[in-house]
Amino acid sequence: MALKVTQTRSSIGTKPKQRGTLRALGLRGIGKTNVVPDRPEIRGMIARVPHLITVEDVDDALLDKDAAS
């Protein structure tokens, strides 16, 4: 299982740790999306910035097919 993480709000005015967490998730600005593995470490990072992002479940089969293309 994987998670599709999208930044929905700006990081301007947030604490430096929250900005760092967004960067660690691979997000660089509003509307940017990244697919990350569903692991406890990633879930913890998501829990730190839930007000700035949206999260969707993604099927691994779709990821493998996209990587092969």
Side-chain angles (χ1 to χ4, degrees):
M1 186 60 62
L3 301 171
K4 180 178 173 184
V5 183
T6 304
Q7 185 173 346
T8 56
R9 297 191 62 195
S10 174
S11 62
I12 294 174
T14 60
K15 296 179 180 181
K17 276 192 167 186
Q18 292 176 339
R19 287 195 297 272
T21 301
L22 288 175
R23 290 283 176 139
L25 287 169
L27 303 174
R28 300 294 190 257
I30 298 172
K32 301 297 180 185
T33 300
N34 192 23
V35 178
V36 295
D38 187 7
R39 298 192 321 235
E41 301 88 12
I42 301 296
R43 289 284 182 166
M45 291 166 44
I46 289 170
R48 291 181 75 112
V49 291
H51 56 291
L52 302 174
I53 60 174
T54 58
V55 181
E56 303 172 33
D57 288 331
V58 178
D59 188 21
D60 281 338
L62 296 175
L63 295 175
D64 294 336
K65 187 170 86 174
D66 290 339
S69 302

